[in-house]
Amino acid sequence: KDLRACTAYSVAYELELWKKAESEKFRLHLADHEAALQEQLEDEYRQQEITRAQEFRHRQSEVRDLEFKVKRKLLELQQREAAIVAEDRRITGLCDGMKRKAD
């Protein structure tokens, strides 16, 4: 008797075809899922990079502001120091002048 004519062979053959089709569908589904996850991860990474770059620019701006304030304070202190030195010289000169008059 021809095996291919047998119902069991036909059922087994159909089952094998179904298994292959299901396996291929699953493989395609898995590939799609993997691609979707990859895209999601890439999107998250891009967003993190954007956030990091924004934070970096913000911090750079803060540092520039602080540098400007420090330079301004330094100049202010140097001017005050120069004024104090000048006043000290003036007072020393007055004291010396008073001592000479007293002598």
Side-chain angles (χ1 to χ4, degrees):
K1 185 175 175 183
D2 187 13
L3 278 177
R4 293 181 188 195
C6 176
T7 307
Y9 177 83
S10 179
V11 169
Y13 182 74
E14 290 295 322
L15 180 61
E16 193 59 34
L17 288 177
W18 177 84
K19 280 175 37 180
K20 285 181 181 180
E22 288 299 309
S23 179
E24 183 62 18
K25 280 183 2 187
F26 179 73
R27 189 187 65 72
L28 289 173
H29 171 74
L30 202 57
D32 288 346
H33 186 65
E34 183 179 340
L37 285 177
Q38 181 71 26
E39 187 175 333
Q40 179 184 355
L41 287 173
E42 288 172 358
D43 287 344
E44 288 173 6
Y45 178 78
R46 275 191 293 275
Q47 187 58 46
Q48 287 174 349
E49 282 299 301
I50 289 169
T51 302
R52 185 195 60 77
Q54 289 171 340
E55 181 67 22
F56 180 75
R57 284 192 300 275
H58 177 72
R59 296 286 185 210
Q60 269 186 323
S61 177
E62 287 179 344
V63 167
R64 279 193 300 270
D65 290 347
L66 284 174
E67 285 176 342
F68 177 76
K69 288 176 184 177
V70 166
K71 287 177 183 177
R72 193 176 64 215
K73 278 293 182 187
L74 176 62
L75 180 60
E76 184 182 308
L77 289 173
Q78 288 171 336
Q79 290 170 344
R80 287 174 64 186
E81 181 183 23
I84 290 170
V85 167
E87 186 64 19
D88 188 47
R89 285 185 190 140
R90 189 184 72 76
I91 291 172
T92 301
L94 287 174
C95 287
D96 288 347
M98 303 251 309
K99 283 183 186 176
R100 280 189 225 118
K101 285 185 181 179
D103 290 339

